[in-house]
């Protein structure tokens, strides 16, 4: 059983994207993340919700369910819609692929999720909807030498809560997408 | 999303302020297209310093404007991009086609 959980339902309106990511971020702050980790979560949730609005419900009315569970320093988020479903999940997860090029979509939504979160899995059924499950771990590293603790998202500098190095990696332009630990396989049901 | 514009000859600088997501992308797109609709504009600098949030929808806006300018031999540059947003640009390899100002 989770240490804490929350559940939110909202209409598939684009103005709710900010609301959803803010809610997810607010819940996630319980784990005392760094600002970068918090932004990672907010961005990934924004991508998943946007996908549900544009692709799941094709901009028609629907309900999106956002849930989050905290357990053992890990937060698991699920974004669920009852929309059209994804025909080819592997294709959808390819960088730069979009089923709506006319909407000027970059096709990078899944890539962002997979880059910013520690695990991403997708379950989908045509005509029934899609659930995206994402996990973000907060790793606590106890150090003696490193007294230059990063400030966390709440603006507190705690030497006893130094997180794993989250320095932005240098991206080789030629391997901008491939040089990441991305594309976790969907978890078996 | 607010956009503040300055122009000098064929160069336009647009400072974006606020959040750039799917919801605000349409507004940003239309405003920027109004700017570069003038075909004498050959260079668009997007000042990202005021952007407080961006997801991949923002990438679409930037790449779309890049394509329009590129078609007429112009160019798009990005300036003052906050680190968290720059991560997304780097991840997408956008600096292969777009320069930093």
């Amino acid at each position: 059983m989770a240490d804490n959980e929350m559940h939110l339902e909202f209409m598939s309106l684009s103005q709710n994207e900010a609301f959803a990511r803010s809610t997810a971020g607010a819940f996630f702050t319980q784990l005392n993340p760094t600002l970068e980790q918090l932004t990672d979560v907010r961005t990934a949730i924004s991508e998943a919700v946007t996908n549900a609005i544009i692709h799941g419900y094709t901009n028609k009315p629907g309900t999106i369910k956002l849930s989050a569970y905290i357990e053992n320093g890990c937060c698991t988020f699920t974004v669920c819609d009852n929309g059209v479903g994804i025909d080819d999940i592997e294709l959808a997860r390819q960088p730069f692929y979009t089923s709506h090029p006319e909407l000027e979509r970059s096709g990078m939504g899944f890539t962002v999720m997979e880059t910013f979160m520690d695990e991403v899995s997708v379950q989908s059924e045509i005509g029934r909807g899609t659930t995206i499950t994402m996990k973000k771990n907060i790793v606590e590293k106890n150090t003696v030498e490193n007294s230059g603790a990063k400030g966390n998202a709440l603006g507190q500098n705690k030497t006893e809560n130094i997180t794993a190095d989250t320095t932005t990696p240098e991206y080789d332009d030629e391997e901008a997408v491939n040089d990441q630990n991305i594309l976790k396989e969907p978890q078996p049901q | 999303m607010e956009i503040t514009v300055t122009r000098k000859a064929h160069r336009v600088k647009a400072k974006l302020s606020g959040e750039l997501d799917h919801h605000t992308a349409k507004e940003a797109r239309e405003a920027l297209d109004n700017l570069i609709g003038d075909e004498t504009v050959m260079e668009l600098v997007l000042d990202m310093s005021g952007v407080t949030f961006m997801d991949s929808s923002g990438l679409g806006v930037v790449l779309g404007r890049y394509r329009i300018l590129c078609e007429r031999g112009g160019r798009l540059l990005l300036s003052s991009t906050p680190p968290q947003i720059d991560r997304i640009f780097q991840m997408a390899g956008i600096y292969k086609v777009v320069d930093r100002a």
Side-chain angles (χ1 to χ4, degrees):
Chain A
M1 186 170 173
D3 299 330
N4 196 359
E5 60 186 75
M6 71 91 173
H7 306 278
L8 181 71
E9 284 190 20
F10 51 93
M11 292 176 67
S12 57
L13 301 173
S14 60
Q15 53 263 48
N16 284 333
E17 291 158 5
F19 168 56
R21 60 178 180 256
S22 294
T23 303
F27 185 76
F28 184 61
T29 58
Q30 295 176 59
L31 290 179
N32 202 23
T34 63
L35 185 58
E36 184 170 303
Q37 290 167 328
L38 179 60
T39 304
D40 287 352
V41 165
R42 295 181 74 236
T43 309
I45 293 296
S46 192
E47 300 289 356
V49 169
T50 299
N51 274 358
I53 291 170
I54 295 176
H55 301 292
Y57 291 119
T58 60
N59 293 303
K60 295 186 180 73
T63 299
I64 298 172
K65 299 177 188 175
L66 167 67
S67 295
Y69 309 83
I70 288 177
E71 188 170 6
N72 297 328
C74 175
C75 194
T76 301
F77 298 91
T78 64
V79 177
C80 178
D81 67 69
N82 298 315
V84 300
I86 303 173
D87 184 36
D88 186 335
I89 293 175
E90 292 309 306
L91 179 61
R93 291 175 82 161
Q94 292 301 311
F96 301 110
Y97 171 79
T98 176
S99 56
H100 289 287
E102 75 283 1
L103 297 180
E104 213 174 65
R105 304 295 304 164
S106 68
M108 292 295 284
F110 273 117
T111 304
V112 170
M113 286 185 249
E114 289 157 357
T115 301
F116 286 2
M117 303 296 276
D118 295 312
E119 291 179 36
V120 177
S121 63
V122 182
Q123 288 80 41
S124 188
E125 189 173 340
I126 296 297
R128 298 200 63 178
T130 299
T131 297
I132 298 177
T133 302
M134 300 181 277
K135 292 187 178 183
K136 188 72 170 175
N137 297 303
I138 297 293
V139 177
E140 293 191 9
K141 189 189 294 181
N142 294 322
T143 67
V144 173
E145 298 80 15
N146 185 3
S147 60
K150 290 184 179 181
N152 63 15
L154 298 177
Q156 301 158 342
N157 285 296
K158 293 185 177 181
T159 55
E160 70 274 19
N161 190 28
I162 299 167
T163 60
D165 179 25
T166 56
T167 304
T168 303
E170 292 296 324
Y171 288 93
D172 182 330
D173 282 348
E174 293 299 317
E175 300 175 329
V177 171
N178 294 325
D179 191 29
Q180 298 300 313
N181 184 19
I182 63 174
L183 197 63
K184 306 299 187 297
E185 292 300 318
Q187 299 301 313
Q189 293 293 326
Chain B
M1 160 122 316
E2 290 184 7
I3 301 180
T4 308
V5 180
T6 55
R7 178 167 181 171
K8 188 173 183 180
H10 64 275
R11 189 186 218 225
V12 170
K13 184 171 185 177
K15 178 177 176 179
L16 308 182
S17 298
E19 298 190 322
L20 186 53
D21 61 5
H22 165 237
H23 180 63
T24 58
K26 180 173 183 243
E27 174 193 348
R29 188 178 298 121
E30 288 173 357
L32 293 173
D33 283 348
N34 279 339
L35 291 176
I36 59 178
D38 176 352
E39 295 200 358
T40 62
V41 173
M42 295 302 288
E43 198 170 276
L44 173 65
V45 178
L46 292 179
D47 179 347
M48 305 294 287
S49 60
V51 178
T52 54
F53 174 85
M54 190 188 84
D55 61 15
S56 66
S57 301
L59 273 176
V61 172
V62 172
L63 287 171
R65 269 60 278 129
Y66 159 77
R67 286 189 197 103
I68 291 172
L69 284 162
C70 206
E71 280 174 6
R72 60 174 185 251
R75 64 180 193 143
L76 184 145
L77 300 98
L78 294 166
S79 79
S80 308
T81 306
Q84 280 291 100
I85 292 167
D86 201 54
R87 287 178 70 201
I88 298 178
F89 284 144
Q90 290 190 58
M91 181 193 64
I94 204 168
Y95 293 115
K96 291 166 71 174
V97 295
V98 172
D99 292 324
R100 286 186 172 92

